[in-house]
Amino acid sequence: MSDTNSQVAASAEIRARIDTTTPHSARFWNYFVGGKDNYEVDREIGDQIKEIFPGLVDVALTSRLFLGRAVRHLIREQGIRQFLDIGTGLPTADNTHEVAQRVAPDARIVYVDNDPIVLTHANALLTSTPEGRTAYLDADLYDPDSVLEAAAGTLDFSQPIALIILNTLGHVADYDQARDLVRRLMAGLPSGSHLVISDSTATSEGMIAASEAYNASGATPYYVRSVEEIAGFFDGLELVAPGITQVPSWRPDPDAPAGPSAASVDAYCGVGRKP
């Protein structure tokens, strides 16, 4: 079979795996941040949840801004030039590689997701400066060893790497399992590597109600956790100031336009360094 025919067959297989009859987390989040890669079923549950808890839109938007601030901090203040972004989701504006290579053109980024809808958009992610590298892995958070092995094809594991897991760990129903997955991933990274996490939290009745409505929609469930549980992901790491905090409060940019107040955002984040 020719390369062209193989690509067509692979593309058809991926499309066949995409279910447009139930909501999908990546498409749902894409809708909330103003993207266009979503279907009516995603917009319907999105609009329903906006009525229940409009603040979830603020969570989506401020989480994207946190990603940019964290990446810039790691490059400028910690000298990080490599990023392993797990649970990539659908590309929008200011993806990890865009932010990183804008500051450090030689930065290397590996995206990881195992979702067919994300895979169909992988080509949009596979762009890079001439000096850097960007790669996409069709891999699974639940198999950390395979993720690390495949990422080694692009990243230099003798140098520090930033592991980014944003708004993804809530899909792991069992908290102890989620912590173990993070621990195993960080165990495979060298000293000086960093962990970057943000997730929605069960810190208001509105967020809890929104989570319950989303989980009842037929989509892959997402479980909001306590602030203490978010902090638990960083056990054994050195937290970067200001520690575990609401997303807008993590090193806010004084020159940025005013956004939602931290008190209104039910999402917490942190950045930690591996000794």
Side-chain angles (χ1 to χ4, degrees):
M1 184 180 292
S2 69
D3 289 344
T4 299
N5 289 340
S6 297
Q7 291 172 359
V8 170
S11 179
E13 180 182 353
I14 292 167
R15 287 196 300 272
R17 291 164 53 196
I18 298 173
D19 179 6
T20 62
T21 64
T22 56
H24 181 281
S25 60
R27 301 191 314 242
F28 168 82
W29 211 245
N30 178 264
Y31 174 53
F32 266 23
V33 298
K36 302 182 184 302
D37 299 311
N38 47 74
Y39 294 98
E40 182 63 27
V41 68
D42 308 300
R43 296 187 287 274
E44 286 177 357
I45 186 61
D47 291 339
Q48 178 186 338
I49 287 178
K50 284 181 186 179
E51 292 182 6
I52 297 171
F53 182 55
L56 192 57
V57 176
D58 291 338
V59 170
L61 295 174
T62 57
S63 295
R64 172 61 52 161
L65 294 174
F66 163 67
L67 170 65
R69 297 197 305 275
V71 169
R72 288 189 291 271
H73 167 78
L74 290 171
I75 291 174
R76 291 169 175 163
E77 305 299 327
Q78 305 296 332
I80 300 292
R81 293 294 185 272
Q82 303 187 103
F83 299 85
L84 178 58
D85 187 336
I86 298 181
T88 302
L90 290 164
T92 54
D94 285 340
N95 300 289
T96 301
H97 74 284
E98 294 171 321
V99 175
Q101 293 181 345
R102 198 177 295 143
V103 180
D106 61 337
R108 296 186 175 196
I109 298 88
V110 171
Y111 292 106
V112 178
D113 211 300
N114 71 331
D115 200 285
I117 190 69
V118 175
L119 184 58
T120 62
H121 292 77
N123 285 338
L125 292 172
L126 294 178
T127 58
S128 176
T129 57
E131 304 94 328
R133 291 184 66 185
T134 303
Y136 174 85
L137 300 179
D138 183 12
D140 196 329
L141 169 67
Y142 290 93
D143 189 358
D145 294 339
S146 294
V147 168
L148 295 171
E149 181 179 358
T154 300
L155 306 179
D156 178 1
F157 275 66
S158 70
Q159 298 298 318
I161 295 168
L163 172 63
I164 299 174
I165 315 178
L166 303 189
N167 307 298
T168 297
L169 290 167
H171 286 302
V172 183
D174 185 83
Y175 176 62
D176 289 336
Q177 182 183 21
R179 286 189 62 179
D180 183 61
L181 292 171
V182 173
R183 181 192 61 76
R184 290 168 61 190
L185 286 163
M186 288 302 298
L189 304 183
S191 175
S193 292
H194 285 69
L195 173 65
V196 182
I197 285 177
S198 74
D199 257 312
S200 300
T201 47
T203 41
S204 76
E205 292 182 0
M207 174 58 85
I208 293 170
S211 174
E212 291 173 347
Y214 178 78
N215 292 349
S217 71
T220 301
Y222 192 97
Y223 302 94
V224 291
R225 296 193 161 104
S226 69
V227 178
E228 291 75 19
E229 287 174 319
I230 300 300
F233 290 123
F234 293 89
D235 283 354
L237 304 180
E238 301 167 349
L239 280 171
V240 173
I244 306 300
T245 183
Q246 283 167 291
V247 168
S249 297
W250 197 91
R251 297 179 175 262
D253 183 349
D255 298 323
S261 68
S264 69
V265 177
D266 290 297
Y268 276 69
C269 66
V271 176
R273 180 185 183 276
K274 180 176 180 178

